[in-house]
Amino acid sequence: MNKIIAIANQKGGVGKTTTAVNLAASLASTKRKILLIDLDPQGNASTAAGIEGANRKTLCDHYFDQVSLEDCTQSSTDDYKIIPGDEGLIALEVAIRNDNNQGFLTKSLADFENKFDYTIIDTPPTLNQLTIEALFCASGTLIPLQCEYYSLEGVAGLMQTIETLSNKNMTSNRVLGIVRTMVDMRNNLAKEVSEELEKHFSNLVFNTLIPRNIKLAEAPSHGISGIKYMPNSYGAKAYLALAGELIRRVEYV
Ligand SMILES: Nc1ncnc2c1ncn2[C@@H]1O[C@H](COP(=O)(O)OP(=O)(O)OP(=O)(O)O)[C@@H](O)[C@H]1O
Ligand SMILES: [Mg+2]
């Protein structure tokens, strides 16, 4: 069993990285072997995993200097492994396009991903070549979404892109689900948008709601996941529940 899951939404700040890191930590806590790939030049997932800047070997080193994926992989402060990212990934994005090397990540991961039960890929807030690489190689995409007025715009575009790639037989990727993040049900608009989502995407919306929880926001500054930082917090419990729901969706089909 191996599943590659892209965490994507071209809208910024919707909780992609928080979801990638805490899902990786939650899945790892079930003794599954997890690889997290930080494909965002911001490198936020790497910082949240406790990786020091100077120690990072990224997919850039793999692409330009033939460093093996094994040698790029590090242990996180949680129980998952990580291939970190940093601003060098901007050059990788350009190189893949210039070299006409679309699908590079799929080829690179082919012999490596089977060492893991799940590979989670954190993507940047744009539909650029790095995100497309993640969508190409993923078997499923998870879309974090904040329940706000503009949040549905863009998601349709992302879904369309996945469908187009899939129809052209370029990927077997499918949308695994939409995760509602930073939920505050005291907010009437959030409630309305959340209900709209349930109506329009009833099969896709995860039941688990990720609440707005300060512990999830504090954890990255300590270089650990919210799961390890404060296991009893609402945020940690929500991500553990989301991992359970994901496992049921992915493994029991
Ligand atoms: N459930 C939550 N409760 C409280 N704060 C949260 C929660 N989820 C995310 N945050 C905070 O919101 C901000 C944006 O989250 P995050 O970095 O995960 O989003 P992102 O989609 O990865 O952003 P980008 O598009 O820049 O990559 C961060 O400061 C994060 O700590
Ligand atoms: Mg991010």
Side-chain angles (χ1 to χ4, degrees), residues 22-32 34 118 120 243 246-247:
N22 287 288
L23 203 54
S26 298
L27 289 167
S29 74
T30 68
K31 302 290 172 222
R32 285 167 175 77
I34 311 300
Y118 285 86
I120 312 274
L246 181 76
I247 287 169

Side-chain angles (χ1 to χ4, degrees), residues 7-22 40 42-45 122-126 144 146 180-183 209-220 235 238-239:
I7 313 287
N9 185 339
Q10 64 268 50
K11 197 162 162 45
V14 296
K16 291 181 289 297
T17 302
T18 306
T19 299
V21 167
N22 287 288
D40 184 354
Q42 296 181 99
N44 294 152
D122 187 27
T123 65
T126 152
Q146 229 181 314
R180 290 165 284 179
T181 59
M182 297 181 239
V183 175
L209 295 166
I210 307 298
R212 185 172 283 284
N213 180 239
I214 188 69
K215 300 299 169 201
L216 289 173
E218 284 172 7
Y239 274 112

Side-chain angles (χ1 to χ4, degrees), residues 221-233:
S221 66
H222 299 273
I224 53 174
S225 71
I227 310 301
K228 208 161 196 178
Y229 177 60
M230 202 63 78
N232 283 324
S233 62

Side-chain angles (χ1 to χ4, degrees), residues 123-237:
T123 65
T126 152
L127 209 63
N128 67 7
Q129 187 58 39
L130 293 171
T131 307
I132 297 288
E133 287 295 308
L135 297 181
F136 263 142
C137 72
S139 48
T141 301
L142 214 144
I143 306 176
L145 193 140
Q146 229 181 314
C147 294
E148 287 176 345
Y149 185 59
Y150 290 119
S151 53
L152 284 173
E153 294 183 12
V155 168
L158 176 60
M159 287 180 165
Q160 184 65 50
T161 305
I162 293 170
E163 202 178 311
T164 307
L165 295 177
S166 178
N167 287 345
K168 289 184 177 162
N169 288 330
M170 293 163 100
T171 174
S172 55
N173 189 357
R174 67 191 169 98
V175 178
L176 270 175
I178 296 171
V179 185
R180 290 165 284 179
T181 59
M182 297 181 239
V183 175
D184 178 359
M185 280 303 179
R186 288 168 303 181
N187 174 332
N188 283 336
L189 180 60
K191 227 168 155 175
E192 270 173 40
V193 175
S194 178
E195 284 165 8
E196 283 291 300
L197 273 173
E198 284 173 2
K199 225 188 283 166
H200 291 291
F201 300 105
S202 56
N203 297 334
L204 285 181
V205 179
F206 281 92
N207 293 325
T208 308
L209 295 166
I210 307 298
R212 185 172 283 284
N213 180 239
I214 188 69
K215 300 299 169 201
L216 289 173
E218 284 172 7
S221 66
H222 299 273
I224 53 174
S225 71
I227 310 301
K228 208 161 196 178
Y229 177 60
M230 202 63 78
N232 283 324
S233 62
Y234 288 117
K237 284 180 183 166

Side-chain angles (χ1 to χ4, degrees), residues 90-108:
I90 295 168
L92 175 66
E93 203 266 335
V94 175
I96 294 174
R97 281 192 282 118
N98 285 352
D99 301 344
N100 214 356
N101 207 353
Q102 285 83 1
F104 141 77
L105 190 58
T106 311
K107 282 176 253 154
S108 285

